[in-house]
Amino acid sequence: MHTDICAGFAPQAEIARRFPIDGEVASLSQIKSGHINETYLVTTDKGSRYILQWINRYVFPNVEAIMQNMSAISAFLRQHSQGKMAMISYMDTLDGRNYYDDGKGGAWRLYRFVPDSICLQRAETAEDFYESARGFGGFQYALRDFPAEQLKETIEKFHDTPDRYRKFREAIEADDCGRLGEVQGEVNFALEREERSCRLQRLRQEGRLPIRATHNDTKINNVLLDENTRKALCVIDLDTVMPGLSAHDFGDAIRFGASTAAEDETDLGKVRLNLDYFRAFTRGYLEACPSLTDTEVKVLAQGAYAMTMECGIRFLTDYLMGDKYFAIDREKHNLDRCRTQFKLAEDMERKWEEMESIVAEEYERVKAAAMV
Ligand code: GN1
Ligand code: MG
């Protein structure tokens, strides 16, 4: 989804020139994808393409920590993945820094566009979704021996669902924008499901799940597919790579990609869990990541539920606080997003047994295939 060309983007073009790009900036357009950072496609007169990104410091105050995590992971993958896991690499600025500080609070970075790659906002087929699972599963597998405790927590308590509930309660108490009355139904929905939404995190606290280096933001638009073969090429958007649970990565991908409607759909009748997509993702993830423990596999469906509820609560909290965190394009955008998440969670409750059977069946299938 590209909008506009160069005109109106003079400041961004100026910033692109702070990096050793090949040639002069010939065109610059914004890629509308993601709710946090801003992303631009830069093309030079020599035909070279780059991705320029503005990092949102309200969300990521510690840019150094992000860049350090990124270098640690890149170095590890270069050494251990035998070239199987492609990685984007950020270019240093002309004066040798790994991001550009514009002196106005903005942090910018740039990487070479991955040739022949596409980034889907939605899976067009179950096969695309399966491939995204291969990408994220392969990423998890490649990092299976990475010492997760060495990673910085770039956003504190990012997928700590009980803590998300705590912040949600604070927003309800404060009701800064006087929006509480209008969302009482959603608030009750969330509070009634607190115990169930926090089960995964409880298992983590009890030490029953291994802490891994996880991606934590596994929407399909965070994996690049090969334009020609549509196979997974490369995982991107590594800002939230942190110590976490494999079920978070699995679950966030399901929440976004296995829904039959867009994350901000206003016709809630369209929002359901697509079980075929759920199966396709489960298959791809388990095939690509054979290092998961039995317990990790057992809680994958739980991960999908927890991430869906958590994301709904985050959207609702932000709505109550006046839309400070997630970028919005329209009034009540965050409320619309919250409603789709809750609708999807409700559908998961209805389909729970099927979800668990699918995970169990696919796990058996993958283990049987590994034995031949
Ligand atoms: C944000 O920036 P984007 O769209 O990749 C958010 C995720 C949410 C997602 C909801 C750092 O991701 O956690 O799941 O929106 N990223 C951050 O669409 O908060
Ligand atoms: Mg993203």
Side-chain angles (χ1 to χ4, degrees):
M1 259 191 278
H2 297 172
T3 57
D4 217 317
I5 308 282
C6 227
F9 293 114
Q12 289 83 354
E14 189 47 45
I15 286 164
R17 291 188 194 103
R18 306 289 176 147
F19 293 85
I21 54 173
D22 179 30
E24 273 302 309
V25 178
S27 75
L28 203 149
S29 57
Q30 185 167 10
I31 301 176
K32 280 281 196 187
S33 161
H35 306 330
I36 310 287
N37 296 330
E38 286 174 14
T39 307
Y40 302 88
L41 174 67
V42 180
T43 308
T44 69
D45 56 357
K46 294 197 179 155
S48 300
R49 286 182 295 169
Y50 302 89
I51 296 291
L52 174 71
Q53 265 190 324
W54 170 83
I55 308 171
N56 180 333
R57 273 184 164 160
Y58 175 78
V59 172
F60 295 109
N62 192 347
V63 180
E64 276 80 12
I66 297 179
M67 299 314 275
Q68 277 168 23
N69 280 357
M70 210 98 64
S71 339
I73 288 209
S74 311
F76 182 90
L77 290 178
R78 257 196 309 276
Q79 218 184 332
H80 297 273
S81 88
Q82 291 105 25
K84 279 194 210 127
M85 198 71 225
M87 276 283 292
I88 47 166
S89 51
Y90 289 97
M91 289 169 68
D92 282 349
T93 59
L94 288 168
D95 57 1
R97 291 167 206 272
N98 55 11
Y99 69 92
Y100 175 72
D101 189 322
D102 64 13
K104 290 179 273 182
W108 299 79
R109 63 192 175 189
L110 181 126
Y111 63 89
R112 219 176 276 284
F113 184 88
V114 179
D116 303 320
S117 68
I118 49 168
C119 171
L120 299 179
Q121 299 306 319
R122 278 185 76 74
E124 285 163 21
T125 59
E127 194 62 24
D128 285 342
F129 197 42
Y130 165 83
E131 274 305 321
S132 75
R134 303 259 339 174
F136 289 121
F139 183 77
Q140 180 54 243
Y141 186 64
L143 289 175
R144 67 194 178 282
D145 294 324
F146 185 91
E149 69 285 354
Q150 282 179 16
L151 290 172
K152 304 257 184 321
E153 216 180 347
T154 56
I155 300 179
E156 249 180 78
K157 300 188 186 297
F158 190 54
H159 286 320
D160 181 337
T161 314
D163 193 65
R164 294 291 182 182
Y165 265 97
R166 190 184 58 71
K167 289 175 181 138
F168 174 49
R169 284 204 168 79
E170 277 176 16
I172 295 172
E173 283 282 304
D175 190 19
D176 281 339
C177 305
R179 293 174 170 176
L180 183 60
E182 167 201 8
V183 299
Q184 206 56 62
E186 285 75 17
V187 166
N188 293 342
F189 181 94
L191 294 178
E192 280 158 16
R193 285 162 176 79
E194 182 164 4
E195 188 278 326
R196 185 167 184 174
S197 306
C198 295
R199 271 180 214 166
L200 183 68
Q201 192 63 24
R202 257 212 328 277
L203 293 173
R204 175 185 184 159
Q205 278 152 1
E206 289 164 6
R208 292 167 60 189
L209 296 166
I211 305 301
R212 310 270 192 190
T214 47
H215 184 282
N216 296 306
D217 185 10
T218 49
K219 302 205 279 198
I220 191 165
N221 58 14
N222 282 334
V223 60
L224 302 180
L225 302 187
D226 184 303
E227 186 176 31
N228 304 307
T229 63
R230 286 183 99 95
K231 300 262 180 245
L233 264 186
C234 175
V235 169
I236 59 170
D237 196 358
L238 305 181
D239 302 335
T240 51
V241 170
M242 280 183 267
L245 303 179
S246 51
H248 292 150
D249 279 4
F250 175 87
D252 193 48
I254 294 297
R255 152 196 100 67
F256 189 81
S259 170
T260 50
E263 189 182 67
D264 61 354
E265 174 61 58
T266 51
D267 179 354
L268 293 178
K270 291 187 181 162
V271 184
R272 286 182 315 280
L273 177 74
N274 180 334
L275 284 174
D276 293 334
Y277 274 35
F278 181 82
R279 185 184 290 278
F281 195 90
T282 306
R283 179 171 297 177
Y285 198 77
L286 292 178
E287 280 174 2
C289 191
S291 50
L292 299 183
T293 65
D294 288 349
T295 321
E296 278 180 294
V297 175
K298 265 203 195 98
V299 300
L300 288 179
Q302 190 62 52
Y305 187 78
M307 294 306 292
T308 307
M309 282 302 297
E310 182 188 285
C311 201
I313 289 161
R314 292 174 62 197
F315 288 140
L316 187 53
T317 304
D318 199 34
Y319 183 68
L320 287 168
M321 291 174 64
D323 310 305
K324 293 198 170 78
Y325 188 99
F326 296 105
I328 52 166
D329 295 332
R330 57 176 191 252
E331 233 184 280
K332 299 186 197 282
H333 205 164
N334 276 319
L335 179 56
D336 292 339
R337 289 170 177 152
C338 153
R339 287 178 170 151
T340 62
Q341 301 309 292
F342 289 173
K343 190 72 200 308
L344 186 62
E346 225 174 9
D347 199 38
M348 287 180 185
E349 290 170 9
R350 267 190 296 271
K351 293 177 174 159
W352 195 250
E353 279 176 24
E354 282 158 291
M355 289 166 71
E356 297 225 287
S357 309
I358 289 172
V359 172
E361 282 161 27
E362 291 303 323
Y363 191 39
E364 284 312 312
R365 221 185 54 82
V366 169
K367 280 195 293 190
M371 285 198 293
V372 268

